[in-house]
Amino acid sequence: MGRQPCCDKVGLKKGPWTAEEDKKLISFILTNGQCCWRAVPKLAGLLRCGKSCRLRWTNYLRPDLKRGLLSEDEEKIVIDLHSKLGNRWSKIASHLPGRTDNEIKNHWNTHIKKKLRKMGIDPITHKPVTPGEATEKNEKLCSQSSPEPAETEAEEQSMASQTLTAESETSSLGQTPVFCTDEVPMIEPHEIIVSCDASASPASCAAAASGGGGGGGLSSSSCSSSVDCSSRPEEIQFPCMEWLDSVDFWGLDEFSTWDHFSFDEWDGKLGLDPLNQFQRSVLDQEAWKFELF
DNA sequence: AATAACCACAACCGCGTTCTC
DNA sequence: GGAGAACGCGGTTGTGGTTAT
């Protein structure tokens, strides 16, 4: 009857992930690709539920993630999309390659909201507020009348034109290039090949094929989780994920030999400029996760 | 130097949707 | 077609770090 439960919640670990757990999860996904999340913790030897593994991967461990604060341009795009889409963070994230819905949501709540309020703009309605109007009470009222999200395909299509892509390096909101050169470079959507063999679902293939165009395709929702391998044992083996040479640091051979890891290698494989201090600092921040480095 | 207050972000929770049997 | 489970999303909470007192 139905599917098997994703995890029995008894004895599962919660809270912050340890470096060891990260390592296990990364190794597993490197070896096997992203397949059924419910199977991941068991096979990877983790005492976590599949949901937790998926979140950890999509929000933190994915190689294509940009780290660091959102740029001015990205903020503008978030604000603009939020005015049209409301709190549909995954939709918004799909227009910002390398950013996750969680990240955008957090950034919105901690930075952008305040910024907008300072500018005298209601972050919920995106309309100017008169002084004294922005009271707590008012805010609650406003939240009940959040902007009408775009419902139609056409609307979403038009919004997709704002997507940050390699092809269009300018946003609809500004004439300046979308990414500063000192930002962490993205692995472009087209650099990730999702193999679409005959057994792969049409939906996931379509999503992969349209990865660069339209919606960015690298969002947590539209890319990483779209692999359909549910319930077909032959696919559960390992689906649909190949990395180009440029991202082949994820290739198990090298990555599994953690002892030999160096940041220079990491940079190279990620396509990072070894001299980019910002990137390095970001990676240094990450290093706590990989004490073995 | 100690500690309280604040801030940022990772992770969890719950719900709606999708999918399989 | 219905039941039950996985998945994905958005809201909320918890935790660690930083700043102010």
Side-chain angles (χ1 to χ4, degrees), chain A residues 14-154:
Chain A
K14 286 165 73 172
W17 280 64
T18 63
E20 192 63 28
E21 288 176 309
D22 281 344
K23 182 188 155 189
K24 280 182 181 175
L25 181 57
I26 292 170
S27 295
F28 179 81
I29 293 178
L30 294 183
T31 322
N32 304 324
Q34 296 165 67
C35 75
C36 312
W37 286 111
R38 104 182 127 83
V40 167
K42 237 179 209 174
L43 297 172
L46 291 163
L47 288 170
R48 299 272 181 174
C49 79
K51 202 172 177 176
S52 182
C53 294
R54 179 175 59 84
L55 276 174
R56 182 65 179 170
W57 175 256
T58 55
N59 288 334
Y60 202 76
L61 298 175
R62 268 166 55 204
D64 56 310
L65 287 179
K66 280 171 87 173
R67 310 295 303 174
L69 288 174
L70 271 72
S71 68
E72 287 280 313
D73 288 311
E74 286 176 308
E75 275 193 6
K76 284 177 189 171
I77 288 175
V78 169
I79 292 166
D80 193 53
L81 288 171
H82 185 272
S83 71
K84 293 167 181 164
L85 295 168
N87 293 359
R88 292 158 81 178
W89 304 114
S90 64
K91 288 274 181 199
I92 293 171
S94 71
H95 294 274
L96 293 161
R99 301 295 188 182
T100 68
D101 51 356
N102 206 33
E103 191 179 10
I104 291 170
K105 183 171 60 182
N106 282 331
H107 191 78
W108 177 270
N109 287 327
T110 55
H111 294 101
I112 301 179
K113 258 186 177 177
K114 287 177 194 168
K115 238 184 210 177
L116 289 177
R117 284 196 185 112
K118 270 187 185 173
M119 293 161 63
I121 296 169
D122 186 335
I124 299 165
T125 61
H126 293 263
K127 290 173 184 168
V129 280
T130 55
E133 200 181 339
T135 61
E136 279 295 314
K137 194 181 173 183
N138 218 322
E139 197 173 307
K140 280 177 188 171
L141 287 173
C142 288
S143 69
Q144 287 164 4
S145 58
S146 47
E148 277 302 308
E151 295 296 344
T152 67
E153 282 290 318

Side-chain angles (χ1 to χ4, degrees), chain A residues 154-198:
Chain A
E155 280 174 287
E156 297 214 353
Q157 288 281 339
S158 76
M159 278 178 243
S161 65
Q162 293 168 7
T163 303
L164 297 176
T165 63
E167 293 80 34
S168 65
E169 294 226 322
T170 57
S171 74
S172 64
L173 295 156
Q175 280 75 43
T176 53
V178 166
F179 294 119
C180 312
T181 51
D182 58 353
E183 287 180 19
V184 181
M186 279 294 302
I187 297 167
E188 298 298 337
H190 63 267
E191 289 182 306
I192 295 179
I193 292 178
V194 179
S195 74
C196 295
D197 60 36

